[in-house]
Amino acid sequence: MGRAVTVAACALNQWALDFEGNLKRIVKSIGIAKSSGARYRLGPELEICGYGCLDHYYESDTLLHSFQVLAKLLESPATQDIICDVGMPVLHRNVRYNCRVIFLNKKILLIRPKISLANTGNYRELRWFTPWTKARHVEEYFLPRIIQEVTGQETVPFGDAVLATKDTCLGAEICEELWAPNSPHIEMGLDGVEIFANSSGSHHVLRKAHTRVDLVNSATAKNGGIYILANQKGCDGDRLYYDGCAMISMNGETVAQGSQFSLDDVEVLVATLDLEDVRSYRAEISSRNLAASKVDPYPRVKVNFALSSSDDVAVPICMPIQWRHHSPEEEISLGPACWLWDYLRRSKQAGFLLPLSGGIDSSATACIVYSMCHQVCLAVKNGNADVLADVCRIVNDETYVPEDPREFCKRIFTTCYMASENSSQDTCNRAKLLAEQIGSYHINLNIDAAVKAVVGIFSMVTGRTPLFSVFGGSKRENLALQNVQARIRMVLAYLFAQLTLWTRGMPGGLLVLGSANVDESLRGYLTKYDCSSADINPIGGISKTDLKNFIQYCIENFHLTALRSIMSAPPTAELEPLVDGQVAQTDEVASKVKHFFRMYSLNRHKMTTLTPSYHAENYSPDDNRFDLRPFLYNTTWSWQFRCIDKEVSKLEQKEEISLVVDTD
């Protein structure tokens, strides 16, 4: 009958500028889509070069290599008899566009440039690309010779058009366009487009998936239609983790859901849907049909190809499903863990080293690594040969198969408790017990000798010896002595990261993990260049509140009973002397608004050296990519604080009046 269409959405773990690997993953996804019966395949945004190329988009080589990969795709037998929709940058009349290139059987059908660019938060698309502003307008694009030689085409359509196949009409959206208030799918749907294809580069943020899913379903709830969303997944070179979540929706309901967190580099989501369901759904919406009769038509590129077959009476149709969302605690367990795995395997290091203090933050970081080990063992158990190959290379053993997360953790994860004369036995015991339960290779060391050596050099040069406050020292002396301890720990962390495996007769080095949470970073509650300075920080974008909930999740799901005492312990940096053997220094006392802003402005300079962190929330303090604020402030905040005082005064007056009235 020719009405059941089979389409595929792909989630690919692409890597910026890894043209060889990106090509391999694209071809693999097309092969899987074809073998599943799909006749249209959609990939992620800018999948050929990888989304996170950043200022490499300025370089002509990035454009050249993208076209070289496109030529390989056009020539590949895998791309025959299936409409392929891939993403890459394209230079048209000396203007750079973020584009979809749609092709079939060695012929490019359409190059569709992005209309609404993402330019908030971590996104800087207007820095590298220009939006296509000519609505419903198509121009000739002169193909480079390497493409002409393959397709035999000199020019192809470039612009805001849709594809008209033998059986339906398909239109493209690109990532941000779904989130825009004037999304193209609205007008396209009114003009008879039945299938909307969105290629995305949407990164993970805690609780963000709800919004993305709602947007996709609402796109067709009012107007009818089939919506396909493909998304990048994995760490492609910086702080972001793209969380997949490929999905296919029809008439406001989800019919296929991809995984949000997975170690599979290639995931293909396929669905077979009945076009008559779209047509009958639209037929009953009179307001939609009235608006459709007035809409300006889109240019249509005619395609001599059908997404359905003539004999499809017995073809099973996908039915609506209920989307299964992860809890925020599950997202913390899975997202940063997948990000760490990508970073580890792509940096070609042999594992991680974490200064484990016995507090909530470093313990949460340790739990994320342990979760990563769980995910790796599960992926290998499920037959993921690529993950197994990466594991064997990391542990330098071609015969190794990870089966027990604790045993694998022992091989790739070193934890280190760095005691000083100011440390308590309680924190030492808590760190040791947690290390035993997750299986990490644990080291206990004492930093006193190193601290005394550094302070001794100062005393020898100046003739003065600083003292802690409890021994009569000034605030300056007290702070300096705390900072020495913290910075010595950073130096020792990197030393042990480079040489610990050497002492064990194993090759390679370790990546140093930081564990400063987002609240500490905002306040600047850390020593510049201390243990917060590391190679990467999986919890740097996560609040203390969410981390505490995550710790509780780990107690229940990983059965890490050592975390119970960590949760109940008073937080402390343990940088000042003990009083009668007990911790005298406790942190995180409740602060008022003024205190927060004073601390924020005093310590903002520390953000310039903040360890690259997993981006988990939109209140990230990362000044390099997200929070673009100055780092030299007038810390008195005189005008702002006067405004606060006035508002407080008004509230107090209202309370006084209220009390008088109540008394009367």
Side-chain angles (χ1 to χ4, degrees):
M1 294 177 66
R3 67 186 199 184
V5 296
T6 304
V7 295
C10 303
L12 305 184
N13 194 332
Q14 303 297 71
W15 191 7
L17 303 176
D18 178 26
F19 292 99
E20 194 81 41
N22 292 348
L23 171 60
K24 179 182 176 181
R25 288 180 283 271
I26 293 170
V27 171
K28 182 178 179 180
S29 71
I30 295 170
I32 295 172
K34 280 182 66 176
S35 65
S36 302
R39 308 197 77 182
Y40 169 79
R41 175 268 180 200
L42 175 70
E45 186 175 11
L46 294 165
E47 61 186 309
I48 284 180
C49 58
Y51 184 85
C53 293
L54 306 178
D55 280 1
H56 286 290
Y57 286 122
Y58 289 136
E59 300 161 8
S60 58
D61 277 1
T62 303
L63 299 170
L64 169 63
H65 298 324
S66 295
F67 271 113
Q68 290 171 337
V69 170
L70 178 62
K72 293 288 186 183
L73 288 171
L74 287 162
E75 293 172 334
S76 173
T79 64
Q80 303 308 297
D81 300 320
I82 182 171
I83 296 177
C84 296
D85 190 335
V86 300
M88 60 178 280
V90 176
L91 194 69
H92 175 54
R93 299 182 181 176
N94 291 338
V95 179
R96 192 180 300 99
Y97 295 97
N98 174 349
C99 294
R100 305 303 304 170
V101 179
I102 309 172
F103 61 91
L104 169 68
N105 294 336
K106 294 187 178 182
K107 299 291 183 183
I108 293 177
L109 305 173
L110 171 68
I111 300 178
R112 201 283 202 172
K114 192 171 183 178
I115 295 169
S116 300
L117 300 185
N119 209 58
T120 57
N122 290 292
Y123 293 105
R124 305 279 187 278
E125 288 183 7
L126 280 172
R127 180 178 174 94
W128 309 296
F129 300 111
T130 300
W132 182 257
T133 58
K134 304 172 185 177
R136 299 173 178 78
H137 176 77
V138 173
E139 298 175 354
E140 279 189 319
Y141 177 77
F142 287 82
L143 292 169
R145 282 175 291 181
I146 58 173
I147 303 300
Q148 290 184 29
E149 291 168 1
V150 178
T151 66
Q153 300 167 290
E154 186 176 78
T155 63
V156 295
F158 184 103
D160 186 19
V162 297
L163 300 182
T165 65
K166 288 182 175 182
D167 49 358
T168 187
C169 189
L170 185 147
E173 281 192 328
I174 305 178
C175 199
E176 178 71 12
E177 294 169 9
L178 170 64
W179 303 72
N182 58 339
S183 297
H185 69 256
I186 299 169
E187 293 286 308
M188 286 193 295
L190 293 174
D191 192 34
V193 173
E194 296 178 323
I195 301 175
F196 311 100
N198 186 306
S199 53
S200 284
S202 181
H203 67 274
H204 173 241
V205 172
L206 294 178
R207 306 170 181 87
K208 177 182 175 182
H210 294 76
T211 304
R212 188 191 295 141
V213 172
D214 289 346
L215 282 171
V216 169
N217 286 333
S218 64
T220 57
K222 290 192 297 184
N223 206 2
I226 297 167
Y227 203 102
I228 313 166
L229 183 136
N231 192 24
Q232 181 155 306
K233 65 190 301 188
C235 167
D236 77 341
D238 67 3
R239 298 152 170 83
L240 304 182
Y241 178 78
Y242 300 90
D243 58 342
C245 272
M247 66 177 292
I248 300 172
S249 172
M250 185 175 73
N251 297 341
E253 295 184 290
T254 303
V255 295
Q257 172 185 354
S259 64
Q260 185 174 11
F261 307 105
S262 165
L263 299 189
D264 296 333
D265 282 348
V266 176
E267 183 181 359
V268 181
L269 198 64
V270 178
T272 300
L273 300 164
D274 193 336
L275 291 172
E276 286 302 313
D277 287 337
V278 174
R279 292 159 188 167
S280 60
Y281 185 90
R282 287 179 169 178
E284 296 180 7
I285 309 174
S286 59
S287 58
R288 179 257 167 206
N289 298 330
L290 180 62
S293 66
K294 305 174 184 176
V295 74
D296 292 332
Y298 276 79
R300 276 168 160 73
V301 176
K302 295 180 181 179
V303 184
N304 187 25
F305 187 77
L307 301 187
S308 61
S309 62
S310 56
D311 183 20
D312 60 4
V313 176
V315 174
I317 303 299
C318 294
M319 302 303 292
I321 61 172
Q322 185 67 39
W323 189 279
R324 195 272 182 189
H325 285 286
H326 291 287
S327 69
E329 294 76 31
E330 287 176 318
E331 291 187 78
I332 295 171
S333 177
L334 296 171
C338 292
W339 182 75
L340 283 179
W341 176 246
D342 279 347
Y343 206 101
L344 177 60
R345 66 192 181 106
R346 287 175 170 169
S347 66
K348 301 190 183 300
Q349 298 301 301
F352 301 110
L353 181 139
L354 171 68
L356 185 61
S357 68
I360 287 178
D361 295 326
S362 61
S363 297
T365 301
C367 290
I368 289 171
V369 177
Y370 184 57
S371 175
M372 183 200 80
C373 294
H374 268 270
Q375 298 308 308
V376 168
C377 291
L378 182 62
V380 171
K381 182 180 179 180
N382 291 337
N384 191 318
D386 292 333
V387 171
L388 179 58
D390 285 327
V391 167
C392 292
R393 180 184 52 77
I394 290 168
V395 303
N396 196 42
D397 183 350
E398 294 181 358
T399 64
Y400 177 69
V401 178
E403 297 176 345
D404 177 17
R406 293 184 74 254
E407 189 276 333
F408 180 51
C409 194
K410 189 84 167 182
R411 289 176 178 254
I412 58 97
F413 189 32
T414 297
T415 52
C416 185
Y417 182 79
M418 301 183 187
S420 75
E421 60 185 5
N422 303 319
S423 301
S424 68
Q425 191 61 44
D426 289 340
T427 54
C428 178
N429 292 340
R430 288 195 290 267
K432 181 182 179 182
L433 183 57
L434 178 60
E436 289 174 354
Q437 292 187 356
I438 65 175
S440 64
Y441 181 81
H442 190 61
I443 298 171
N444 270 318
L445 63 88
N446 191 289
I447 68 171
D448 287 340
V451 173
K452 288 175 181 176
V454 172
V455 175
I457 293 172
F458 177 83
S459 299
M460 182 176 62
V461 172
T462 65
R464 302 286 299 277
T465 300
L467 299 174
F468 283 106
S469 296
V470 295
F471 301 135
S474 65
K475 287 184 178 180
R476 284 191 293 175
E477 295 170 66
N478 196 69
L479 182 59
L481 289 173
Q482 291 186 59
N483 289 342
V484 166
Q485 296 171 74
R487 289 178 176 133
I488 285 294
R489 286 182 169 129
M490 180 200 71
V491 173
L492 288 172
Y494 275 100
L495 177 64
F496 275 79
Q498 290 176 305
L499 295 179
T500 293
L501 295 182
W502 169 71
T503 64
R504 298 168 62 189
M506 301 164 65
L510 304 174
L511 292 164
V512 179
L513 296 181
S515 55
N517 66 59
V518 74
D519 305 315
E520 291 177 342
S521 298
L522 282 169
R523 281 187 57 209
Y525 187 70
L526 52 97
T527 300
K528 204 172 185 180
Y529 303 114
D530 70 343
C531 278
S532 62
S533 298
D535 292 312
I536 49 176
N537 179 2
I539 69 165
I542 305 174
S543 73
K544 192 77 163 195
T545 301
D546 282 332
L547 287 176
K548 288 179 178 178
N549 293 336
F550 169 62
I551 290 289
Q552 187 61 42
Y553 168 88
C554 292
I555 293 172
E556 297 168 1
N557 289 270
F558 294 144
H559 310 294
L560 301 175
T561 55
L563 295 172
R564 290 198 180 102
S565 61
I566 290 169
M567 278 281 284
S568 60
T572 174
E574 293 195 329
L575 296 174
E576 294 187 66
L578 301 177
V579 177
D580 297 327
Q582 300 298 315
V583 174
Q585 177 189 22
T586 57
D587 309 324
E588 298 175 312
V589 178
S591 304
K592 292 186 177 180
V593 174
K594 289 182 180 180
H595 177 66
F596 170 81
F597 278 103
R598 285 196 188 99
M599 298 303 297
Y600 173 88
S601 54
L602 281 169
N603 294 313
R604 178 64 184 166
H605 64 96
K606 295 178 182 178
M607 298 304 98
T608 63
T609 61
L610 200 66
T611 295
S613 301
Y614 180 92
H615 181 85
E617 285 285 8
N618 287 333
Y619 45 72
S620 167
D622 184 353
D623 83 313
N624 294 303
R625 292 288 184 274
F626 188 82
D627 188 9
L628 303 182
R629 291 178 172 86
F631 57 86
L632 178 62
Y633 282 92
N634 180 340
T635 59
T636 63
W637 297 90
S638 56
W639 185 281
Q640 296 91 332
F641 284 4
R642 277 203 306 272
C643 292
I644 291 173
D645 290 338
K646 286 180 181 178
E647 292 302 316
V648 170
S649 178
K650 289 178 184 177
L651 289 172
E652 289 175 343
Q653 289 174 8
K654 287 182 180 179
E655 288 181 2
E656 289 175 1
I657 293 171
S658 177
L659 286 171
V660 171
V661 171
D662 291 342
T663 304
D664 292 344

